[in-house]
Structure formats: structure tokens, C-alpha cells
Amino acid sequence: MGRRRRRADLADAAGALPEAIAALSRSLPAGPSPEIFRRAKFDRPEAAPALWRLLFRVLSLLRADRASASRAPEAQARWVKAALRAQGYPRLGLARLPEDGSQGSRELLLALAWLLAREPLPERLLAQTRVRLGDEMPVCECGALASPGQPAPRVDAAGPVDVRHLQWLMGKLRFRWRNLMASQQEQCALLGKIHAYTRGCHGDRSLGHLSVAETELLRDPEGGRQVRAGACGGRDLFLSAKIAILPVCGGPLPPLGHPGAGMQTRSCCLVMGTPERPALWFALQLLQRLESENARLEAVLEWRRRELVFWQWMDTVLGACPPEASQPTFPPGLRGRGRRAGAWGPVAWELQALQEELQAAVGARRAAWAARVGGQGPEWSAARQAAQEAVGQELAALRQAWARGGGGGRAQPHGPHRLVRTEAGGPGGPGLRAAEVIGALRSREACLEETLRQLQEQCRQQLARLAGALPGLIWIPPPRR
Amino acid sequence: MEAARVLSYRRVLPRLVAELRDALDTCAERQRQLEQSLRVSRRLLRAWEPAETPTPEPTPGPETNEEAPSPACTPSPQDLKELELLTQALQKAVHVRKGVSKAGERDKASSLKSGSIATSATTAAAPHGASPTKPPRGTRQATRPAKGLPKPRLLSAGDQTCAGRGPLAAKPGPGLRDPQIAPSAAPQAPEAFTLKEKGTLLQLPVAFRKAASQNSCLWAQLSSTQTSDSMDATTSSKTQFLQKMQVTSGWPSSRLSAAEVEAEVGRLQKACSLLRLRMEEELTRDPTDWMQEYRGLLTLEGLQAIVGQCLHRLRELQAEVVEQQLGPWPEERPPMASLPCGGGADPTWSPQLLLYSSTQELQTLAALRLRVDMLDQQIHLEKVLMAELLPLVSMQEPLGAPQLALCRAVHSLLCEGGQRFLTILRDEPAD
């Protein structure tokens, strides 16, 4: 009896693993078949290309890196290695794999499992490409416009730069911002109207009205000619409808990350029958996208139910690998390529400047204080204690402001939110209130204005110092606002 | 006048121009997207005309190969499947649609001839060439009260043998809840639908609603499974796996990954700005009594200590990264694209709503968002300007007019955002 039970359990287990892997594969974009996984365990070479492709797809989606979309397989493999390394992938075996996709499927399988173990990968990928039916507005600072990476300086062949060219560029930028603001206001007015006019139409009571995407769906369900998704690999998704998000703000928003779809723009927007583009099967697209997302969601849920058996299996895979020889540690004298040093420049420079200023300020104040203090009674030490504690707490709170996931990190709302118009004065349902967001934005605005003002003041002082060195001139500053 | 020309600091200034160009491009891109959204929104608020069937144009590129415009082509199985899906979707859509513009249909039905419409395989066998207009209208009238499916029949009647893709005449009149005027009294011109007047009558197609509600239901299920207890065995096996990976690997585990390092540098950057703000706040404050003065002093000292710690940490990170660059890993370091907002530390998959109560409020909100983004960009550019322009000005020794013009321009760029200029007067001794 026991033996039969065990055999049944084994049979069960034997079936559970392929099903788990199948669920996993359905939940990922470009998921390979369970057969590939099985072959990878035995390090069969034919499984390698599919796994390289999968890793590339997954990693480029995670990093929202559109630029790498159309690379050759070798370049993709190199990119995958670099991306994994940047995440801290520990195994050296991956680095040693040939990039032509001829071998290494077991190592790639381990890399995939590593990614899966660290974070809820299928969910995260789905969330990024989520079908957004509403009019979305971001409420956090992530992916902000002016994220100053190190832009690869496009070294224009021209030599000397005329400062008037700089002035012209700055003026142009100001003008563009003004235009942007004006367009933005108009768009909000239109949105307000559309939301108001379609009150009561939505099945979902908490929403109450239709969004632009939904209204457009009703206005023109058939759209026009269908655009083939032939450019993308596979027909799993009709990707040409960049319907994901209607930017109220004109961005920044998470991009519809489908490398290989041949989409040029970074953010997604509602594309509908505009003369310069082929019209799309709007309704079909939206419905199909919803349905395929539902299918993937179901696959993820199934994967979560079954994944334990996968991890047990991965243990055996890892066990089958010989342990790697540990990398000899290089002596610290070898400085290697300090390529990254460039990224540190601004931060280090600013911190050092700050430190110098603080040093000067503290020195002055200390001296003044030392001159002041004298002959204070016992109530002085108590007050001193209290002051120290208060300041300590204040500074600790300050630290939280930038600490890892700090006090604000969790509580703060993130990501695009769907705009919902409610009646003024009503309690409203669950959701973020615009008034709160406005408040937070105002304080942030004040903060930024202050920072900018300080920077400009710094410049003013420095220039005044330089001007002071030049005799015989009168500098008349422009009237302050 | 080349008098204002800056000396050629090729190494330095191209970066400034590149940054400005980047900023301009980002702005332009945002504007473009906004305008697209505006187009859509404006169109929605106008009267909804029945969509015209564009004359079938020769489609460029790969589409011509696939579309096979010859009438006698047979659709591939995949095409048929897609078209079936389409038909189903449209069938469902039409369930709730009571066409208002009968006459509009008349016009559109006639243009069906020119359009090439592909439907399911069954219809390909029975081409209805002649006068497609009469039968569809008839059936439509007859089945109107039954909320029937005139649409697919319309399609089957109206299609041509050509199975190529083509534009479908959009049925005028969206899904309305209440029946409209009797079709017999069909006016010549279609009654235009405006959102303002009849917007509240709209209803989303059933299939769509079902899919959307299932979608939110599934997402909600996802969030609940994240927190269930049965995850413990799985979580521990995952942790074990990760540990085993680390142990069996050749790379020492104490290192921080490049991603973590970058994240920390970002935090330090943020720390720097916050600390500076606090310092300025403290410095501009005028203490009224000795207690305040003492607290001010303590605060500044505390800030100094923190800045020291930050610098120390930065140097530690620098050392780590340099060491990490050695080894068999490829040199190419993928640039850290700005990470998509993963929802912070605790991603919530449930729908997130932002409630606003008036257009005014929405406009304020959007304007503030833009303003914050713009200020962010301005601050970044200001720092770049400072780094690149200040050295130039300090190096200029001779005091001719060109150098002064340069100083004036630089001052305006740096201190006034390029908007205002100072005046320089020569103080001529009055001889």
C-alpha cells in the first residue's frame, strides 16, 4: 500500500514538474518549452540559443533598455552577461561561455533560476507591460525627466562654441517648456470634459466614468486597416497598438518594453487613426491584449502554486555542476580601468564643496559660541542635553529621507495612477486624493526652487569675486524680481 | 561677431551642448506625445462622424507581400483564426449597439464594395458581389428590435472574394443603451453623436467588460498570493538555492553589485542636496537667544559629521567598483537606463486611482508636475553650466570688450537663467 502510494506520489511529482515549468514558460515573454529546460539540465547545446533569447528578453524588459532591441545574437549574449554581472550574478561560468550560443545551457538555466529566486520576476514583467485602460498620471519621481546619467557626449565636430549659441539653446528650451505647459493645460481641460460627460457609464462603480481609451474604443471600434505585427518575432501579441498608457503629462512613464517590436518612441501613447499612421484594429487590439494578459496572469498564478517542485529540481541541477574554482583576488594595488570614476565626479565634488562650507560655518560659530558661554549654572547642562537630543533626532529624521527605502519609501505611492473624477465634497472611494499629491508637489517645488536659487547665488558670488578683481568697471546687476 | 566666441575647449563644452540638446529632445518628445493625445481627445469631443473607409491604398513594404491583393487568394489558417476573433469581438460589440445613423449606414454600405473586407472562411465561399447595400439594410431593419447580429451578416454580404485585409466600414453609432429613433424615419444626414449630449448613454461592449473585470480580478489574486503562508516552503527553498549558488561560485560574495552601487550613489546624491538645503536654512536663520544659537551650532556640526560619513562611504564604493572591474567579465557595462518605476519596495499590483474633483484641480496637478520636472532639469543644467562655464571666465585675463561680453553672457546664463542681463560700465576717470 505504501509502495503504491509512493509510486503515485512519484508519478504525481513526475507530472508536476513539467506542468510547473510549462506554467512558468507561459508566464514569461518568449518562454521556451519545458523540453528546453530538461535539455538544459543535461547541458545539451541545442537548448542554449532559446535560453539566451529568453534571458535577453527578460533582462532588457527589466531594465527598460530599448536601445538593445535589435542586436545580433552575439551582441545580445554579451549584453546579457554584462547585465547579469551588473546585478551581481555570482557564477563565473557564465562569463566564460561562448557568445555564439553553441553551449552552456545549464549555466543559462542557473542564471534564469537565479533571477527568478531573487524577485517575483513574471509579476514584475507583467506589471511593466500592463494594459492600462485609464488615463494615467505618475505620482512619483521615479524615471523623472532630468535623470542625469552620463549622456554620451555627442562630440560635435565643430570646434569653438559660440556662447550665443548656448543662449539660443537655453531660450529655445524655455520656449518648449512654455508650449508644453500650455498643451498640458488644454489636455487636462479636455480630459475633465470627457470624464464629466461619460459619468455613470462604467460598469465599475469605483471608476464611474470612461477614460479616453475606453471612449475611443466606443467611438471607433474597428479602427481601420490592421497593421501586421510581422516585425516582431512571433504573433503572441499585436504590438503595434501603443495603447498602454495615455500620458496626461506627456511622460515620463514606463515604456511598453517589447524589444524587437520596432517601436521608436520611449513612452507609449494612444495612437488612433491619425493620418500619418496606419489605423489599427483598436478594439481587437485592446481586447486581445487584455485576454493575453489574462492568460499570462493565470499562468503566473499557476506557477506560484507549483513552483516548489521547480526549486527542488533546480537544487539537483546545481548539484550536478562542479563547484567553481574561486577567483584569485587581485592585489589592491591594481587599479584597473577607472572608467566609472567619471560617474562619481559630480557627487564627490558636491560633497566636498559642502564639507568645506560646513567646516567654515562651524568654525565661525564655535568661536562665537565659545566667546559667549561662560558661567552657566546647572540648568545649563540640562538644557544642553535636551538640545543635543532634539538635534540628534532631527538629523536622524533627515537621514531617513534618503536612506534605503526609508520611512517615506514604503508609504509613498508609486507608479502611474488612473485619473478618476469624483464629485467635490464626496467621500470618494479608495485612492489617492489629488489634493495630497498637489501638496507634496508644492513642497517639492519649493525645495527645488530653493536649491536652484542657492546655486544661482553661488554663481553670482563667484562672478562678483572675479569682477571685483577687475578694476575700472561697474557691474550693475539686473533688477531682482 | 567672433568677439564673443569662447576659446575652444573641445573637451569641455561639447558636453554642455549635448546636454542642452538632450533636454531639448526630451521636451520635444513629450510635446509630440501630448499632441497626439490632444488630437484624440479633441476628436472625441467633436461630433462623432461615422468613420470613412479609406480607399484601399497600396500598402508599402512587407504588408503588400502578406496581403495578397489578388481576389482569388485563400486566407491562411492563421489569418482565418484572427479574423474569427475579430468577428467575435465585433459581434459582441454590436450587441449593445443600436445604430442611430441609418442613413450613415446607407452611405457606408455602398462603400463596402470598394473596401475589401475579410471575414471567416465560410463567407469566402459565397461572394456576394452585386448590390450589397440592399440585403444588409433589410436584415438590419428586420433584426433591429432583436438586437440581432446584423454586423457579421453585413460583413458576409458585403465582402468580396478578396481575402486581403482591408478597412472595415465602421458602424456609426456607438453602443447606446436606449433605442433610438425608428429606422424608418431615417434622415438623410446621420445624426451626429456628441459626447456632451449623449455621453452618459454609452456602454462598453460586453466582451471588453468581461475581459477587463477578469483582468482586475486576476491582478487582485496575484497580490493576495504574495502574502499567503504557503509561500514559506517556497521562500526558504529559494533562499537556499541562492545561497548555494553563491557558495559554489568563484566570486567572493562580499561585493556589492554594480546596480547596488549605483543605487547607493544616487542616494548619496540625494543626501547631498538635502544636507545642503538644511545647511542653508540654518545659516540664514538668525538666532534670537542663546538656546537657538546652540542648537544651530549643534545642527551644523551634525551635518558636518554626516557629510564626512557620506564622503567616506563614497570612497569605499569607489574602491569596490574598481576592484570589481577585474575578472573575465566582459568590459561592456550596460548603462543604467533609468529604472522603470517598479512600485518601490513593495509593489502593489492592484489598481491605483488618483481622484480629482474639478478640472481646475487636475490642471493644477499637471502643471505642478511639469514645473517640478522642469526645475529638476534646470538644476541639472545649472550644475553642468557651472562646471563648464565658470572655469572659462576665470581664465580670461585681458579685459577687452569681447571678454566682457563673454562675462556678461555667462553671468546671465548662470545667474539669471539666461533671461536677464547685467550692465557693465566702464568707469572712465574724468580727465
Side-chain angles (χ1 to χ4, degrees), chain B residues 4-63:
Chain B
R5 187 170 304 169
V6 167
L7 296 181
S8 58
Y9 285 94
R10 272 171 235 255
R11 189 173 39 89
V12 162
L13 279 181
R15 187 189 158 208
L16 182 52
V17 176
E19 292 260 8
L20 278 170
R21 291 231 171 95
D22 269 344
L24 282 166
D25 289 341
T26 326
C27 236
E29 174 63 25
R30 246 170 131 166
Q31 180 75 26
R32 201 188 57 82
Q33 289 167 11
L34 247 188
E35 274 170 14
Q36 256 176 336
S37 312
L38 272 173
R39 255 196 299 261
V40 175
S41 305
R42 281 183 200 131
R43 192 171 54 201
L44 279 178
L45 284 168
R46 288 198 293 261
W48 292 11
E49 300 153 35
E52 287 129 20
T53 51
T55 52
E57 351 176 316
T59 51
E63 289 176 23

Side-chain angles (χ1 to χ4, degrees), chain A residues 380-393, chain B residues 291 294-295 298:
Chain A
W380 161 235
S381 54
R384 189 170 167 172
Q385 196 77 5
Q388 277 170 350
E389 274 174 25
V391 170
Q393 277 176 7
Chain B
M291 183 53 149
Y294 185 60
R295 282 183 70 153
L298 284 180

Side-chain angles (χ1 to χ4, degrees), chain A residues 63 71 82 85-88 90-91 127 130 138 140 145-146 148 151 156 161 164 167 174 176-177 180 183 185-187 190 195 197 201 216 218-219 222 225-226 228 235 250-251 265 267 269 272 277 288 293-294 298 301 307 324 327 335 337 339-340 344 347 350 352 355 357 359 366 372 380 384 394 399 401-402 414 417-418 420-422 432-434 445 447 449 454 459-460 462 470 472-474 476, chain B residues 1 6 19 21-22 24 26 30-33 36 41-45 48 59 66 78-79 82 85 151 165 170 199-200 203 211 214-215 219 221 234 242 248-251 257-259 262 265 267 269-271 276-280 290 293-294 301 304 309 311 315 322 325 329 331-332 334 337 341 349 352-356 359 363 369 371 377 380 383 386 390 399 415-417 421-425 427:
Chain A
R63 302 169 68 93
R71 294 190 183 186
R85 186 62 206 140
Q87 301 257 335
R91 288 179 64 89
R130 190 168 174 173
C140 56
L145 187 70
D156 303 324
V161 175
R164 286 173 301 172
Q167 290 174 319
R174 264 202 313 280
R176 284 202 181 161
W177 273 108
L180 201 56
S183 309
Q185 296 293 89
E186 187 188 348
Q187 168 71 340
L190 295 182
H195 290 177
Y197 295 163
C201 297
E216 186 67 15
L218 288 170
R219 184 192 80 88
E222 301 91 3
R225 280 176 292 125
Q226 180 184 27
R228 284 302 191 98
R235 305 167 72 89
T265 57
S267 295
C269 47
M272 194 47 230
R277 288 169 194 267
Q288 273 212 333
E293 184 171 297
N294 290 349
E298 281 166 0
L301 286 167
E307 65 175 319
E324 297 185 326
Q327 180 83 357
R335 295 305 283 169
R337 297 160 292 270
R339 195 184 307 127
R340 292 302 262 180
W344 315 84
V347 185
E350 283 178 34
Q352 265 164 350
Q355 195 178 46
E357 287 179 48
Q359 228 165 357
R366 249 288 147 209
R372 222 179 191 287
W380 161 235
R384 189 170 167 172
E394 199 192 325
R399 289 187 99 115
W402 70 76
H414 267 278
H417 280 52
R418 177 171 178 158
V420 172
R421 190 182 183 116
T422 59
L432 204 53
R433 299 290 183 279
E445 180 198 19
C447 208
E449 275 175 349
Q454 283 175 16
C459 293
R460 211 170 272 126
Q462 243 186 307
L470 311 171
L473 293 169
I474 306 175
I476 307 177
Chain B
M1 82 191 172
V6 167
E19 292 260 8
R21 291 231 171 95
D22 269 344
L24 282 166
T26 326
R30 246 170 131 166
Q31 180 75 26
R32 201 188 57 82
Q33 289 167 11
Q36 256 176 336
S41 305
R42 281 183 200 131
R43 192 171 54 201
L44 279 178
L45 284 168
W48 292 11
T59 51
E66 304 188 69
Q78 252 168 336
D79 294 350
E82 284 167 29
L85 279 166
K151 188 54 130 357
R165 308 269 144 120
T200 48
Q203 199 183 27
Q214 200 189 8
N215 189 270
W219 276 110
Q221 278 183 32
T234 317
L242 285 174
T248 58
S249 79
W251 200 253
S257 72
E262 288 221 33
V265 170
R267 278 196 293 273
Q269 171 84 48
K270 192 170 171 198
R276 174 166 281 279
L277 268 180
R278 189 73 186 84
M279 178 188 80
E280 294 285 341
W290 58 264
E293 201 179 320
Y294 185 60
E301 284 183 339
Q304 192 185 15
Q309 287 164 13
L311 269 172
R315 296 207 178 100
V322 168
Q325 295 221 352
W329 294 93
E331 295 203 17
E332 175 187 328
C341 183
W349 317 116
Q352 296 170 294
L353 305 177
L354 179 53
L355 308 173
Y356 72 98
T359 306
Q363 280 176 322
R369 264 224 74 85
R371 178 127 177 89
Q377 190 188 70
H380 170 66
K383 291 184 186 167
M386 280 166 72
L390 280 177
L399 291 185
C415 309
E416 309 288 340
F421 291 82
L422 49 62
T423 323
I424 306 179
L425 293 177
D427 192 13

Side-chain angles (χ1 to χ4, degrees), chain B residues 181-187:
Chain B
I181 44 167
S184 49

Side-chain angles (χ1 to χ4, degrees), chain A residues 197-260:
Chain A
Y197 295 163
T198 58
R199 227 180 349 256
C201 297
H202 208 284
D204 186 346
R205 288 278 158 255
S206 67
L207 296 173
H209 60 73
L210 303 179
S211 69
V212 171
E214 290 160 343
T215 318
E216 186 67 15
L217 172 68
L218 288 170
R219 184 192 80 88
D220 199 1
E222 301 91 3
R225 280 176 292 125
Q226 180 184 27
V227 173
R228 284 302 191 98
C232 352
R235 305 167 72 89
D236 50 342
L237 287 173
F238 288 80
L239 288 171
S240 304
K242 306 176 213 172
I243 316 177
I245 298 170
L246 182 77
V248 177
C249 248
L253 291 163
L256 187 61
H258 285 285

Side-chain angles (χ1 to χ4, degrees), chain A residues 277-351:
Chain A
R277 288 169 194 267
L280 310 160
W281 287 119
F282 191 104
L284 183 56
Q285 298 267 6
L286 205 48
L287 194 57
Q288 273 212 333
R289 286 188 68 219
L290 271 177
E291 284 174 354
S292 65
E293 184 171 297
N294 290 349
R296 269 178 75 180
L297 282 168
E298 281 166 0
V300 172
L301 286 167
E302 197 185 331
W303 158 247
R304 288 290 159 214
R305 280 195 298 271
R306 295 175 185 273
E307 65 175 319
L308 184 57
V309 64
F310 175 80
W311 294 112
Q312 290 163 349
W313 179 69
M314 280 310 301
D315 239 358
T316 66
V317 173
L318 189 53
C321 291
E324 297 185 326
S326 67
Q327 180 83 357
T329 49
F330 288 79
L334 260 178
R335 295 305 283 169
R337 297 160 292 270
R339 195 184 307 127
R340 292 302 262 180
W344 315 84
V347 185
W349 182 82
E350 283 178 34
L351 279 173

